[in-house]
Amino acid sequence: MEERMDVPLCDEYRISRKIYSETTFQQENEKTELVQKSIPQKLKNECRLIIHCTAATACLKLKQFFPVLSWLPKYRLKEWLIHDIISGLCTGLVGTLQGLAFALLAEVPVGYGLYSSFFPILTYFFLGTSRHIAVGPFPVICLMVGQVVLALAPDEKFIIANSTLNETQIDYEARDAARVAISSTLCFLSGIIQLVLGVLQFGFVVRYLGDPLVRGFTTAAAFQVFISQIKLIFNIPSTNYSGVLSIVYTTIDIFANISKTNFADLIAGLITLVLCLVVKDLNERYKHIMRIPIPIEVIVAIVATGISYGVNLEETYNAAIVKNVPSGFIPPVAPDVSLFSQMIVPAFSIGILAYALAVSLGKVYATKYNYEIDGNQEFIAFGVSNIFSGCFSCFCASTALSRSAVQESTGGKTQIAGLITAAVVMISLLSIGTYLEPLQKSVLAAIVISNLKGMFWQVVDIPRLWRQNKWDTAIWLFTCFASLLLDIDLGLLAGIIFGLFTVLLRVQYPSYSSLGNVPGTDIYKDMKKYKNVEEPEGIKIIRFSSAIFYGNVDHLKDGIKSIVGFDAVRVFNKRAKAKRKMNKLLKKKQLTSSKNGIKENPVTDEDSESDDDMDNYDGTKKKEGNTNYLNVQVDWNTEFPDCVSIPVVTIHSIIFDFGQVSFLDVVAVECLKGIFEEFQRIDVDVYIAEYDDNIFGQLESCGFFNDAIKTDLCFLTIHDAVLHIQRQKKGGSSHSVLDMTSHLQESSQLIEMKDFKELRPTRYLQSQQEEYRNMMTLKTENSPTHTGTQ
């Protein structure tokens, strides 16, 4: 007989355990003390590993520095080779045209764009960890290079006088040679910076270039590129500007000379732009059908070159053409070290941004194809690539989104496709490049602009970001406008500083909330956001959602006051004032005390004393002989005669939820200690709950705990603290006013009070407060338990 047992599914759970404070938890669970190794010990261990390095460890280190040794032995020749060849050919054709076009942005002769599309690929093949990005020129980086080139080698430096024609001319040959030297030196210096950061394991710096910042910056750079290339499409004379407001001056210059437009270049540029945009859109829309995207840049360039050569556009219509495309390779040239001091800042900006763009795109493909990107190794890879390329007159390399998309969409599997791309560029350098000399510059400018479409569309981020996070929207907009109005590298720096400033503001003004209990559970939620939560009677639970440090402790105090509804210092001062007044009125027989409380006796006007008089009391008032005042012990939450004004405190406990507090500094700990003391003086107990072990360690190391503030006030959860408080208060009737006659005692003169804010309780008051708390404490069982669902 088959027996079937149905196990009911349960959507609730019940837990029974002790109420854990930090002390009781550590008594039952021995804490492991972690010993932090010093820097000399860490260096000693590293040296020991190097000295006693095994063959396996050496092989692992070698593979880390040369990632190609990890994936190349596993290369699937039959499956991947054909895809890499097709991908490399397509990417190489596109890369050749883009190399020529992007050289215009770098303000160097177009032929050097081919060098920059070839040399970086060779070193990245061995050192890079991404298998899909296409290494080479990127428009934004080229624009930043062009800004530096124009600043250090403007046309004005190369003006020569022509005595024959009685006019001045520009020595274009000397100017171009100087600009090539500047761009290659900048590439070399950026590579050094990247390599140093990679060796020092500074890959984390890319975290400070958040997505809103990068997208805002690249959008602004796209507009900068558009303005710089539109003058080539119109082929109008204009001055090359750099620095602050350069985009404004360039735009004004374009409109001022718009009447000098060369219509041959304008028509060729517009046709190229329209064709590229339409075909690129079709490639994107039907990429699931077309295995290989249409290489529209290559097709347009070939057709435009043929038309220019056949019609002879340069002589017939004065069109601007490429003219000189180098054939073959040039020998390596040492960088001009004397320029390092003038370009260290832009070199750092270019190196960081080039790395960030490449790594961001590489991580997208790595996630898609299930492999990992090593950020520090990428720094090393691009650093070595730029150092190597800088010796061959190249400008800085990163990765272009369009080329990488072509390489990935055409089936590229590894960096073998990158080698094929380099081979195609090399063939162009050796033979085909010279056939592109009749190509119009306006066609190349249109190709550049067509590749900016994705960056322009980033403006649609603004409504989405505004709905998601206002701070990120502010970072996007600030970085974009700063990069438009300032120099491009200054805009990036301003964006980074502003982003860090917003973080500081968010930390300086942290959010805080008052929590309530979800009935029947151990769950506590924000009372403003949930209707059914209930606040435990006499208990305030305050949650802080930020680190607490010297910059936000004042905001923390204000948050506590707004939630509890009173100022602990003011309450204590008011009570001290009422105590003095009751002493005085009892002495004058204007008040009487009994078991039923304090009663007011009829008084005359001359015997009465106003609150203002008591407020002005400063301890220096003349005293009558040696008469002593009397102190009384009272329950401050009972009713008093109208002549005595007492602030009402409706709570007896406060719980600070530190579950979202990441760190505390010394100032914050001292501030918390003061808050504890202020509330304890008015008989309000303060507890800490949900803290991390590191937070508790910081409290201990900063001397937070003492005789008055014990570790028993710290609880593992909010519910533990609430149950502990309820257990303490259970069965305790409200402490009625004591028999004043039995508690009237002679005491020393009241403490002199020059400033009520600095008032501290007398020893007598401290002892009476301790007596009051002891009377409210119940005898409990040795092993109290609680359930997770009350």
Side-chain angles (χ1 to χ4, degrees), residues 437-707:
E437 290 181 353
L439 181 63
Q440 291 171 270
K441 289 185 177 180
S442 63
V443 173
L444 293 177
I447 291 174
V448 171
I449 294 174
S450 68
N451 282 279
L452 301 176
K453 177 185 174 183
M455 297 185 200
F456 284 127
W457 275 109
Q458 290 175 160
V459 294
V460 300
D461 290 347
I462 298 175
R464 175 181 58 82
L465 282 176
W466 182 259
R467 292 190 300 270
Q468 295 174 349
N469 191 299
K470 305 297 188 296
W471 287 109
D472 287 341
T473 310
I475 293 172
W476 196 104
L477 291 172
F478 182 89
T479 306
C480 182
F481 285 107
S483 301
L484 282 174
L485 299 178
L486 305 177
D487 205 0
I488 197 73
D489 53 346
L490 288 178
L492 177 61
L493 179 61
I496 294 173
I497 294 174
F498 181 77
L500 295 176
F501 179 67
T502 61
V503 174
L504 179 61
L505 287 179
R506 281 181 271 189
V507 175
Q508 186 170 358
Y509 299 100
S511 61
Y512 51 84
S513 56
S514 179
L515 305 185
N517 176 249
V518 179
T521 71
D522 60 348
I523 299 172
Y524 292 83
K525 289 292 185 180
D526 190 344
M527 296 190 63
K528 291 183 179 179
K529 296 180 180 179
Y530 297 90
K531 297 179 180 179
N532 297 327
V533 296
E534 298 176 357
E535 189 173 66
E537 184 179 357
I539 303 174
K540 286 288 185 181
I541 306 170
I542 306 174
R543 170 177 289 168
F544 304 109
S545 301
S546 170
I548 304 175
F549 67 109
Y550 64 91
N552 63 9
V553 289
D554 291 333
H555 190 71
L556 171 74
K557 292 180 179 179
D558 294 338
I560 295 172
K561 292 175 186 177
S562 66
I563 289 178
V564 300
F566 58 85
D567 184 349
V569 174
R570 184 174 177 274
V571 169
F572 180 77
N573 290 337
K574 285 288 186 180
R575 288 183 178 181
K577 169 189 165 184
K579 190 67 144 316
R580 294 195 314 273
K581 189 167 186 177
M582 284 188 291
N583 274 299
K584 190 174 184 69
L585 296 177
L586 285 169
K587 177 176 176 286
K588 293 182 177 181
K589 309 297 184 180
Q590 296 173 7
L591 287 180
T592 59
S593 60
S594 67
K595 293 182 179 180
N596 297 324
I598 299 177
K599 294 182 180 180
E600 184 176 7
N601 294 330
V603 295
T604 59
D605 290 340
E606 62 262 13
D607 292 334
S608 64
E609 185 173 7
S610 67
D611 287 347
D612 293 335
D613 294 333
M614 297 305 299
D615 281 333
N616 293 329
Y617 179 84
D618 62 359
T620 61
K621 206 169 182 179
K622 183 178 178 181
K623 301 174 181 60
E624 299 177 5
N626 295 324
T627 303
N628 293 328
Y629 288 93
L630 300 174
N631 277 333
V632 295
Q633 172 68 13
V634 296
D635 181 356
W636 296 106
N637 293 320
T638 58
E639 293 186 3
F640 290 87
D642 293 338
C643 62
V644 180
S645 176
I646 304 294
V648 178
V649 176
T650 59
I651 63 173
H652 53 70
S653 302
I654 297 175
I655 301 173
F656 290 151
D657 176 11
F658 277 12
Q660 297 181 12
V661 176
S662 56
F663 75 88
L664 301 166
D665 67 355
V666 177
V667 177
V669 173
E670 290 298 321
C671 176
L672 285 173
K673 187 184 294 186
I675 292 171
F676 268 67
E677 293 174 351
E678 289 170 3
F679 280 105
Q680 285 176 345
R681 289 186 312 182
I682 60 173
D683 297 324
V684 176
D685 297 322
V686 186
Y687 302 87
I688 297 176
E690 299 281 358
Y691 50 85
D692 184 76
D693 286 340
N694 292 329
I695 295 296
F696 186 80
Q698 289 172 350
L699 291 173
E700 283 186 317
S701 61
C702 293
F704 178 74
F705 300 106
N706 52 35
D707 294 337

Side-chain angles (χ1 to χ4, degrees), residues 283-302:
N283 286 340
E284 181 65 24
R285 185 171 300 180
Y286 299 104
K287 62 182 179 181
H288 60 285
I289 299 176
M290 295 184 296
R291 184 175 179 181
I292 300 175
I294 301 172
I296 185 62
E297 292 102 331
V298 178
I299 296 173
V300 168
I302 293 174

